[in-house]
Amino acid sequence: MTKRPSAGHGSDTTDTEDRDGVASSSIGAATSAGPATSTGTTTSLDDVTLPDADGTRPSAVSRFLRGALWGLFGWFLPTFLLWLVVATCMFMFSMENTTSLTAAIMPVSAATVLTAQGVGVRYQFLDVSVIPLLATIIYLVSGYAFARRLKDGAAPLVGFAAVWVALDMFVYGRSPLTASDAWPVALGKFLVVALVVLVLAHGARAYRAAIGAIKTRVSAPLARTVDLSFRIARVFALVMATVGIVTFVVWLVVGFDAMRTVASFIGMGNASFWAAFVLSLLWMPDMCLWALSWSAGAGFRIGSFATFTMWQGDARELPAIPIFGILPQPVPNATATLALESIPAVAAFLIAVAFMLSKKRIDIFHRRLKKRPRLASPRSIVDILLSFVTMCLSCIWIVVGCFIAFSLSCGSLGTERLAQLGVTDVAESTRALARPAAIGFFCAFLLMVIVSCIIELVTVLRARRQAAQRLETDTDLDAIARTVRTSRSAERDAERHASDSRRVARSARGMHDGADRNGASYGADAALGSEEGGAPRSDDDAAASDVAGGFTEGYDDAMRRAGRTVRSMGRGVSASGASHTLAAPRSVREALDSADFPSESSLHLPEAGETDGAHRDDGAGTPSQG
């Protein structure tokens, strides 16, 4: 048993991002990453050339023959399928007619093979050049399924294309019907179909290689931009194909009765009707493209008989062909017309928004990053510009694809009134789809830019608010520190004032004690005098009594005022913690001269000659001065 050799380790450097088209991350993610080291291609076991049984590599002839064999299978399978369908329909036609149509099986089958690959046929007055795109799709799918097995270089690919073209030329030369194209033109069309099959089979690998080369040699962001533009155009094409298919199905459901009426009018039974309907389905993709052009506002025409748009169209003057019975009538509702015309723009807008918001695609808001860059940063600016370039490239691919598709859907069913069949104008139909798509892409891009600006504005305002809050917090802390320092200073001042008050009180108490002692000595002398001499000395006794009373009243009044001063200072200290408005005295002199503390005059000793009423209480607790 021969063992497959393993792929080289060099292919391991290509990650999932390259296999998916190098578009799984933000466009600007590689603006600062430098040139990539990967070649953008992957190597799998299917890509490795298998050796023969003797261990040698197959020769070019054997590989050519292998490709020719796969080409034979890829061409013969759809041809046999189409021959089977045509033969079945011919038998069904023969069942309801006296004339046998079995002799028409080979000519009709050959005509189907040729027209499926773009070569028209002519029979008497009929000149059929409308490509049955469903048959073309069958050929492409079958050829893709076999051509993708060719892995041994260019030799099998050449063999595949050679056999494909040779078989087509054999049918071209042996067809009972006359081809409308000369043999060089027919040869070129057959070769184009074979190349399209090979591109579908091996184009993905070549595409990845091209994207990898751009990524390595030019720029990684540019490679992602090109890849994303293809992806956006592909998604838009799928959406528009869905719109065309849905429109055709609606036509078929609404106009099925009219198609049955046309069939009964020309004498078709049920078997003939269904046989004709099956053969008509070969042109179903063509009619889906007509439906897409119709829904976009461009319309299509059936020769010189009628032109169908959403505002005009009448199938009553068309030839009696059953499939023409499903063609639409004008849309009477203006709202429905506007809704149909806006489908391309809305689809393009939603697709662009989805790609720009996706973390694996454009990611214009940089949600994959832990720290979002500022809008004015070089990275954000590059991402926005590349997003715009992506939308522009997508519009270009859409224009190219629409032009090719609408061109393939046009043809003829005759030489006179049915000489032109399909979209009214290929350029107009392309413009009807590409212009709304461009508008949708631009609106989505503009919306994302506006949202980015709003997010940036909110971020800036939030940062400023947080900075202001931090500044206020710092200011509050400074104020609290100043309050604490002020409170402590006020407490120290209050303690100092209380100490001064106590010192004054002690001085007053000493003066009071001295006055008491003097008064007692005066009393003793008076008593002694009265005992010795008989009568007391009235003047001295009165003076001593006045002095003792004055000192007593002054001391009591000073103690009361000192207590009130200490209490008021305590209240001021308590209030200073909230209002910081305590006006503390700056010296003992100011404290003593304040209104809340007794002045030195309240402790004034009476001089000689002062009367008893010189220091009387005036009723308010403040001694009056004589």
Side-chain angles (χ1 to χ4, degrees):
M1 180 177 180
T2 304
K3 184 178 179 181
R4 288 175 177 263
S6 60
H9 293 287
S11 61
D12 295 337
T13 58
T14 303
D15 54 5
T16 306
E17 177 182 343
D18 289 327
R19 290 194 297 270
D20 292 339
V22 300
S24 61
S25 61
S26 172
I27 282 182
T31 53
S32 60
T37 58
S38 173
T39 59
T41 60
T42 58
T43 304
S44 62
L45 293 178
D46 294 334
D47 299 333
V48 179
T49 301
L50 298 179
D52 290 337
D54 56 354
T56 61
R57 189 173 184 269
S59 63
V61 176
S62 61
R63 287 184 283 122
F64 178 87
L65 294 177
R66 183 181 300 175
L69 181 62
W70 289 126
L72 176 62
F73 290 155
W75 183 90
F76 180 77
L77 183 62
T79 303
F80 176 76
L81 179 62
L82 292 176
W83 177 86
L84 190 62
V85 171
V86 170
T88 304
C89 292
M90 291 299 105
F91 279 121
M92 294 177 68
F93 283 131
S94 301
M95 291 171 56
E96 296 181 350
N97 293 279
T98 58
T99 305
S100 177
L101 297 178
T102 56
I105 294 177
M106 293 306 297
V108 175
S109 299
T112 305
V113 172
L114 295 178
T115 55
Q117 300 182 71
V119 178
V121 295
R122 184 179 296 111
Y123 177 74
Q124 295 181 358
F125 62 90
L126 289 178
D127 188 2
V128 180
S129 62
V130 180
I131 301 175
L133 290 179
L134 183 58
T136 305
I137 293 173
I138 293 174
Y139 269 101
L140 294 179
V141 171
S142 176
Y144 168 81
F146 289 98
R148 65 190 301 267
R149 300 175 180 270
L150 304 176
K151 305 294 182 180
D152 299 338
L157 301 180
V158 173
F160 184 94
V163 170
W164 188 286
V165 173
L167 292 173
D168 284 332
M169 290 302 295
F170 175 79
V171 174
Y172 174 85
R174 304 287 296 181
S175 174
L177 303 178
T178 303
S180 58
D181 294 330
W183 72 267
V185 177
L187 178 63
K189 291 182 178 180
F190 297 149
L191 184 59
V192 168
V193 174
L195 292 178
V196 170
V197 170
L198 295 178
V199 167
L200 291 176
H202 301 279
R205 185 168 54 185
Y207 172 77
R208 289 195 297 267
I211 293 296
I214 296 175
K215 181 179 179 181
T216 305
R217 301 177 182 178
V218 183
S219 171
L222 181 60
R224 289 189 175 88
T225 300
V226 174
D227 181 70
L228 285 172
S229 64
F230 276 111
R231 289 173 177 266
I232 293 174
R234 183 175 62 187
V235 174
F236 181 81
L238 291 176
V239 173
M240 291 299 101
T242 304
V243 172
I245 293 173
V246 171
T247 306
F248 173 76
V249 171
V250 172
W251 287 0
L252 187 61
V253 172
V254 173
F256 189 79
D257 293 337
M259 188 169 58
R260 293 296 300 265
T261 302
V262 174
S264 62
F265 178 75
I266 62 177
M268 279 187 176
N270 288 332
S272 299
F273 169 76
W274 287 110
F277 178 74
V278 171
L279 288 177
S280 299
L281 290 181
L282 295 176
W283 285 269
M284 183 187 69
D286 302 74
M287 302 193 71
C288 289
L289 291 172
W290 300 353
L292 180 60
S293 177
W294 178 84
S295 64
F300 62 96
R301 62 184 175 182
I302 305 298
S304 60
F305 289 99
T307 299
F308 291 87
T309 64
M310 287 189 290
W311 302 274
Q312 65 177 356
D314 190 2
R316 290 177 295 181
E317 298 180 359
L318 295 177
I321 300 176
I323 195 63
F324 286 165
I326 69 172
L327 297 182
Q329 298 294 324
V331 179
N333 192 345
T335 303
T337 302
L338 181 62
L340 288 174
E341 286 185 309
S342 62
I343 288 177
V346 174
F349 176 82
L350 296 178
I351 292 171
V353 169
F355 269 78
M356 284 190 283
L357 292 180
S358 176
K359 293 182 179 180
K360 295 183 178 180
R361 303 305 180 204
I362 297 178
D363 192 19
I364 196 171
F365 294 148
H366 304 97
R367 294 187 298 167
R368 296 179 70 251
L369 302 179
K370 294 182 179 180
K371 184 178 180 181
R372 181 177 179 272
R374 299 294 297 271
L375 184 61
S377 64
R379 179 167 188 171
S380 297
I381 294 175
V382 169
D383 282 350
I384 292 174
L385 293 178
L386 291 180
S387 301
F388 181 76
V389 174
T390 301
M391 300 306 154
C392 294
L393 290 177
S394 301
C395 293
I396 294 175
W397 310 143
I398 289 172
V399 169
V400 174
C402 290
F403 185 83
I404 294 175
F406 287 133
S407 299
L408 292 176
S409 67
C410 297
S412 65
L413 285 178
T415 56
E416 296 182 0
R417 302 189 66 182
L418 289 176
Q420 294 180 346
L421 203 69
V423 296
T424 305
D425 187 359
V426 175
E428 181 64 26
S429 298
T430 302
R431 201 161 35 241
L433 281 180
R435 183 182 299 168
I439 294 174
F441 289 150
F442 177 75
C443 290
F445 171 77
L446 187 61
L447 176 63
M448 293 298 103
V449 172
I450 293 175
V451 172
S452 299
C453 293
I454 294 175
I455 293 176
E456 183 70 15
L457 178 62
V458 171
T459 303
V460 171
L461 294 179
R462 184 180 298 173
R464 290 184 177 180
R465 181 178 179 182
Q466 292 175 355
Q469 290 178 351
R470 288 194 297 268
L471 181 60
E472 291 178 359
T473 303
D474 297 340
T475 304
D476 293 340
L477 293 176
D478 294 340
I480 292 173
R482 287 194 299 271
T483 301
V484 171
R485 289 194 297 270
T486 304
S487 301
R488 291 177 179 175
S489 177
E491 290 177 358
R492 289 193 298 269
D493 292 342
E495 291 176 358
R496 188 169 58 254
H497 297 328
S499 177
D500 294 340
S501 300
R502 287 192 296 269
R503 189 164 55 253
V504 172
R506 285 194 299 269
S507 301
R509 187 181 298 113
M511 296 173 65
H512 177 268
D513 293 340
D516 288 343
R517 286 193 298 269
N518 293 332
S521 62
Y522 288 150
D525 292 340
L528 181 61
S530 62
E531 290 177 359
E532 293 177 355
R537 292 178 297 180
S538 57
D539 294 337
D540 295 336
D541 293 342
S545 178
D546 290 339
V547 170
F551 274 108
T552 302
E553 292 176 0
Y555 170 77
D556 293 338
D557 189 39
M559 292 302 295
R560 286 194 300 271
R561 290 181 178 274
R564 286 197 302 271
T565 301
V566 171
R567 287 193 297 272
S568 64
M569 287 183 177
R571 288 194 298 271
V573 170
S574 300
S576 64
S579 61
H580 320 296
T581 58
L582 178 63
R586 292 187 296 271
S587 63
V588 177
R589 172 60 61 184
E590 292 182 2
L592 294 176
D593 293 340
S594 63
D596 294 330
F597 200 81
S599 62
E600 294 180 356
S601 60
S602 61
L603 303 179
H604 179 68
L605 296 178
E607 298 292 339
E610 292 183 353
T611 60
D612 296 340
H615 295 283
R616 298 295 183 185
D617 194 343
D618 58 358
T622 303
S624 60
Q625 299 180 3

